[in-house]
Amino acid sequence: MSEASEIRQRGSKPAEVPGAEPSNEQILTKIAKTEDKGTPVFLEAVRTLLLLLIVSSALSYFVTREDIFWGMKRPAWTRPAVLKTWLNGPQEFTDEDLKKYDGSDPELPIYLAINGTIYDVSQGRRHYGPGGSYHFFSGADASRAFVTNCFKDDITPDMRGVEEMFMPLDDPEVDSLYTSGQLKVMRQQERKKAKDQVHANLKHWADFFEGSSKYPKVGRVKRQKDWETRGEKPVLCKRAHEGRKKRDPPPKA
Ligand SMILES: *[C@@H]1O[C@H](CO)[C@@H](O)[C@H](O)[C@H]1NC(C)=O
């Protein structure tokens, strides 16, 4: 075939050299053609958005291991532990039973109790498991320690006398400025106010666990009726005792 006939066969189209970059003109023609008979732009946009949403959700889950949508709270019912708890119904454990749920057995959930209510804190294994900074709360009702912050001595639900940490210390020098009648009334008022403070402190933590979707409620600690008056009343731990101050002297008349 002669060079001339070859050109004729190809018509007036510019020569396409195989492997050469297409010209801008060719690209534009191609895009125009695709848009003509391809998917409508609107559908294309919807498809892109959906894809972005899926990729974002997957990425969010991958990064946070919690949320499908960045930062938004995952509904509690999507957690297996919560579902299991609901299916089981409220459970009862004795203080003794609770001990084995302290995280030392990786097969068991981690439980802690506060004011007699048990929560599953397995989702916080990093904090509540062995070596975690809150491990002392696990496998027990440590209500007393939640208030006193004595994490070694006060792993007990026994709250007897805790209010003393919020009461002034008796001091002969200051107290001699009051009559014995005045002192008696003051001590009563001090104790009442201190008990309210203990209640508020414990309630703060009880509310924290109750309000957390991460730590589902498991049930209640089963105890004997008179458990709160049994045995020796615990002594106020050193740390809590050291925070006490003397009574204020009477205001000068
Ligand atoms: C602890 O539980 C008892 C009932 O068992 C309740 O009367 C009390 O108010 C609770 N204390 C706090 C601080 O929530």
Side-chain angles (χ1 to χ4, degrees):
M1 220 190 286
S2 75
E3 212 175 289
S5 63
E6 209 178 317
I7 289 169
R8 224 175 295 127
Q9 266 188 356
R10 283 183 179 182
S12 57
K13 272 202 289 180
E16 272 181 47
V17 185
E21 294 276 322
S23 70
N24 283 348
E25 208 180 323
Q26 281 172 323
I27 293 169
L28 284 177
T29 329
K30 237 181 202 161
I31 290 172
K33 271 188 191 157
T34 321
E35 282 189 356
D36 270 356
K37 50 181 157 79
T39 329
V41 179
F42 168 72
L43 275 183
E44 196 65 46
V46 170
R47 216 156 61 183
T48 309
L49 270 177
L50 269 178
L51 190 72
L52 273 177
L53 205 64
I54 291 166
V55 169
S56 165
S57 298
L59 203 63
S60 168
Y61 180 73
F62 181 74
V63 172
T64 64
R65 295 278 167 199
E66 292 268 310
D67 313 314
I68 302 175
F69 298 107
W70 301 91
M72 264 170 66
K73 264 214 173 136
R74 174 179 172 180
W77 54 264
T78 62
R79 294 180 192 284
V82 177
L83 273 181
K84 219 177 103 200
T85 310
W86 283 0
L87 291 176
N88 285 343
Q91 299 179 73
E92 283 201 328
F93 292 83
T94 63
D95 288 291
E96 195 58 35
D97 292 337
L98 263 185
K99 285 183 184 168
K100 64 173 179 284
Y101 297 93
D102 71 345
S104 45
D105 184 345
E107 300 293 315
L108 289 178
I110 306 179
Y111 292 161
L112 69 69
I114 180 162
N115 198 29
T117 304
I118 306 165
Y119 297 92
D120 183 336
V121 294
S122 307
Q123 304 258 5
R125 190 171 280 271
R126 204 154 54 87
H127 306 295
Y128 294 98
S133 44
Y134 300 137
H135 180 52
F136 39 73
F137 286 133
S138 305
D141 183 334
S143 292
R144 191 180 181 93
F146 275 103
V147 177
T148 62
N149 291 337
C150 289
F151 306 121
K152 235 180 80 185
D153 303 326
D154 285 349
I155 305 303
T156 168
D158 194 332
M159 299 297 279
R160 284 179 291 173
V162 183
E163 70 274 10
E164 283 156 25
M165 71 183 280
F166 297 118
M167 291 168 63
L169 282 169
D170 287 334
D171 179 77
E173 212 174 299
V174 180
D175 294 351
S176 65
L177 302 170
Y178 292 99
T179 67
S180 62
Q182 282 175 322
L183 270 181
K184 197 177 159 205
V185 173
M186 282 173 75
R187 288 201 183 106
Q188 279 171 359
Q189 287 169 345
E190 286 161 1
R191 189 169 296 270
K192 188 185 175 306
K193 196 176 148 215
K195 281 190 168 173
D196 289 346
Q197 269 176 285
V198 169
H199 183 87
N201 264 259
L202 186 59
K203 190 174 182 307
H204 168 81
W205 291 110
D207 287 350
F208 166 77
F209 287 102
E210 186 61 30
S212 162
S213 65
K214 201 173 164 188
Y215 303 136
K217 184 155 46 181
V218 173
R220 296 278 305 167
V221 184
K222 192 168 58 183
R223 295 186 180 122
Q224 282 163 313
K225 257 208 169 94
D226 59 345
W227 73 273
E228 278 170 301
T229 53
R230 276 184 171 232
E232 293 241 337
K233 175 183 156 185
V235 287
L236 191 62
C237 66
K238 193 161 166 271
R239 195 197 138 109
H241 179 78
E242 282 170 358
R244 298 178 68 182
K245 293 193 200 82
K246 295 180 203 175
R247 203 165 271 114
D248 286 332
K252 291 207 172 71

